[in-house]
Amino acid sequence: MDKEIKTANPLGYQKISKLLRSLAIPAIIANLVNALYNVVDQIFIGQGIGYLGNAATNIAFPITTICLAIGLTLGIGGASNFNLELGRGNPEKSKHTAGTAASTLIIIGIILCITIRIFLEPLMISFGATDKILQYAMEYTGITSYGIPFLLFSIGVNPLVRADGNARYSMMAIIVGAVLNTILDPLFMFVFHWGIAGAAWATVISQVVSASLLLIYFPRFKSVKFSLNDFIPQVHYLKKIISLGFASFIYQFSNMIVLVTTNNLLKFYGAKSIYGSDIPIAVFGIVMKINVIFISIVLGLVQGAQPIFGFNYGAKNYHRVRETMRLLLKVTFCIASILFVIFQVFPKQIISLFGEGDELYFSFATKYMRTFLLFISLNSIQVSIATFFPSIGKAIKGAIVSLAKQILFLFPLLLILPRFFGLEGVIYATPVTDLLAFCVAIIFLIHEFKHIPKE
């Protein structure tokens, strides 16, 4: 069996640290660059328009989160099943899985684009837009909605390309788009004077380029060879994909609910404070973008580990599954701890990158950022564990770990704490949640490892 694995795939025999490094570093870079789509927009919009522009991109951000929910569900679910079937020696099933995931992403992207354009204004209002923010939010989202099919395809196909063992190509596809976005943003906004519309068009064009680069990779897959029939969506494979990617969907979709709820709470309780509604909404958007950078690093590490988990669990190399998990937790915790120090020591300097504001603005921004990111070291472990379970085919456990954080803890705390502490309650709901979710994740992991054979 070991000889067959060595011949078939290095995931079954190569040194874990070397595998994780080779798979995770490109994934981290790709995720970071992908996150820069929103961060770069926010920086240029903040510098060119001010914090109302930042607030507008925050109002639009739940739509990006919906795309992440769907894209990662089909992408991570598809990649997990792709590697599991390869590990079991079923290349035909691997092909059908990847093809079904790719075509479904395009179909859902088109449906989402049409729906958002029809209900644009009521969506922006329901997401928490104030009178001052609404027009900016509608202009920005109305344009970026054209890029949704391409954004979904990029998010979902990226893990599939990594699952084929070509992490560098998946990284480069995203980097090219992000670099293009960084060039076009200032060109459209400050040279052509298109304002917030310029940032939106820069994003759309960049997403089209990244998606095109990923599309032309399919004929180059190393582990399987596709035919057109493989891209006809099949319900049987779609059910498996969704079941394994459901933890990602739960995390991102519940994150979207939390975003919308938080925006509306900041709008309501901010109006009763000295800060008003617009400052808290703008600051929340900036801090969320900073948090996305942190999450991108953690998810890159987890996505790098995912093929190792899936293949070796499918091949019953349980000792390699354990070794990978131990290394993953060590690395994510160390990186998160370094970022924690940076975020706590330099909050004002980081916030200043997103535009200027008065003393009241920076006072709230500094406090919010330090509090929101207080337990990111523990959060890194929780995210790693939540994504580990679907990698080994146990989607329900992964969904529970994700659901516990967003729905069981954070959502109720957001509704309860502000009733007693006002705006302060909204701020402190996140770190309390991170602590509680970490405890749940650790309990699930310990229980799972007790039932995984050591050999």
Side-chain angles (χ1 to χ4, degrees):
M1 180 66 177
D2 288 340
K3 185 177 180 181
E4 290 177 2
I5 291 171
K6 288 185 179 183
T7 304
N9 201 314
L11 291 172
Y13 67 88
Q14 202 171 77
K15 188 177 179 181
I16 296 296
S17 58
K18 182 179 179 181
L19 273 174
L20 184 60
R21 183 168 59 250
S22 64
L23 291 170
I25 290 177
I28 291 171
I29 294 172
N31 285 349
L32 281 173
V33 172
N34 201 27
L36 287 177
Y37 277 119
N38 288 296
V39 173
V40 169
D41 278 354
Q42 191 114 15
I43 290 174
F44 283 118
I45 289 169
Q47 296 291 344
I49 297 173
Y51 69 81
L52 287 178
N54 280 330
T57 61
N58 180 33
I59 296 300
F61 196 61
I63 292 175
T64 302
T65 309
I66 293 171
C67 292
L68 281 169
I70 298 170
L72 290 176
T73 298
L74 295 173
I76 292 178
S80 297
N81 200 45
F82 183 88
N83 287 123
L84 283 168
E85 294 299 347
L86 280 181
R88 293 166 182 158
N90 300 320
E92 284 298 315
K93 291 184 178 180
S94 294
K95 282 200 308 176
H96 293 313
T97 296
T100 294
S103 55
T104 304
L105 285 163
I106 296 173
I107 294 169
I108 295 177
I110 293 171
I111 294 171
L112 262 180
C113 172
I114 295 171
T115 304
I116 288 167
R117 294 201 59 77
I118 292 173
F119 300 103
L120 182 58
E121 184 171 352
L123 275 173
M124 296 298 96
I125 294 172
S126 67
F127 289 171
T130 65
D131 292 338
K132 292 181 180 179
I133 298 170
L134 181 59
Q135 194 56 46
Y136 287 120
M138 287 183 61
E139 185 177 7
Y140 183 81
T141 310
I143 295 170
T144 54
S145 63
Y146 291 119
I148 286 175
F150 305 98
L151 174 61
L152 263 181
F153 189 81
S154 296
I155 293 170
V157 171
N158 215 276
L160 291 172
V161 175
R162 273 197 304 274
D164 186 50
N166 205 335
R168 288 186 179 180
Y169 188 91
S170 68
M171 173 188 71
M172 289 306 300
I174 301 300
I175 286 179
V176 170
V179 170
L180 182 61
N181 185 49
T182 305
I183 295 170
L184 294 180
D185 257 329
L187 180 66
F188 289 169
M189 288 187 68
F190 304 123
V191 178
F192 294 170
H193 304 289
W194 290 356
I196 199 169
W201 280 117
T203 298
V204 172
I205 293 170
S206 304
Q207 289 166 347
V208 171
V209 170
S210 290
S212 300
L213 289 172
L214 289 167
L215 177 63
I216 63 175
Y217 178 79
F218 277 92
R220 309 178 192 178
F221 260 73
K222 296 179 293 184
S223 50
V224 294
K225 297 299 178 185
F226 290 98
S227 65
L228 289 177
N229 288 335
D230 295 324
F231 294 94
I232 298 174
Q234 298 186 40
V235 176
H236 171 67
Y237 290 103
L238 189 58
K239 285 180 179 178
K240 286 187 175 181
I241 291 168
I242 292 173
S243 68
L244 293 181
F246 196 59
S248 297
F249 179 83
I250 287 292
Y251 180 81
Q252 294 295 340
F253 188 76
S254 57
N255 196 35
M256 186 272 293
I257 295 174
V258 168
L259 282 173
V260 174
T261 302
T262 304
N263 279 337
N264 281 284
L265 288 171
L266 291 172
K267 178 181 177 181
F268 179 78
Y269 289 102
K272 298 182 177 182
S273 71
I274 60 173
Y275 305 106
S277 297
D278 296 326
I279 286 178
I281 291 174
V283 167
F284 176 57
I286 292 171
V287 174
M288 282 299 299
K289 300 302 189 304
I290 295 168
N291 188 55
V292 165
I293 293 175
F294 154 69
I295 292 295
S296 297
I297 296 173
V298 175
L299 283 179
L301 285 162
V302 173
Q303 288 164 355
Q306 177 268 321
I308 310 173
F309 284 138
F311 184 89
N312 286 287
Y313 194 87
K316 298 184 179 180
N317 290 334
Y318 299 122
H319 65 286
R320 290 177 65 81
V321 174
R322 289 172 172 275
E323 185 182 347
T324 304
M325 192 63 193
R326 285 194 294 267
L327 180 60
L328 176 64
L329 293 181
K330 288 177 183 177
V331 175
T332 53
F333 184 81
C334 289
I335 292 175
S337 297
I338 293 170
L339 289 175
F340 166 78
V341 173
I342 294 172
F343 294 154
Q344 294 298 316
V345 175
F346 305 108
K348 185 174 181 180
Q349 290 85 343
I350 295 172
I351 295 290
S352 296
L353 294 173
F354 296 85
E356 293 300 319
D358 55 23
E359 186 177 343
L360 197 64
Y361 169 79
F362 280 110
S363 172
F364 181 82
T366 300
K367 180 178 182 179
Y368 198 111
M369 181 173 170
R370 282 176 171 160
T371 307
F372 189 93
L373 301 172
L374 185 62
F375 288 130
I376 60 170
S377 298
L378 302 183
N379 195 20
S380 68
I381 294 176
Q382 189 272 339
V383 172
S384 299
I385 294 172
T387 317
F388 161 72
F389 284 109
S391 298
I392 62 171
K394 300 194 175 183
I396 294 177
K397 289 186 177 180
I400 292 172
V401 174
S402 295
L403 191 65
K405 178 177 180 178
Q406 300 294 92
I407 302 300
L408 186 61
F409 297 135
L410 183 53
F411 189 68
L413 285 172
L414 281 171
L415 297 180
I416 294 169
L417 292 182
R419 292 179 177 271
F420 298 97
F421 305 106
L423 193 59
E424 298 282 323
V426 182
I427 297 173
Y428 284 100
T430 298
V432 174
T433 296
D434 288 342
L435 182 59
L436 295 172
F438 164 77
C439 295
V440 171
I442 287 294
I443 292 170
F444 268 72
L445 183 65
I446 292 173
H447 181 268
E448 184 64 30
F449 269 28
K450 285 181 179 179
H451 293 83
I452 293 179
K454 293 185 178 181
E455 298 296 336

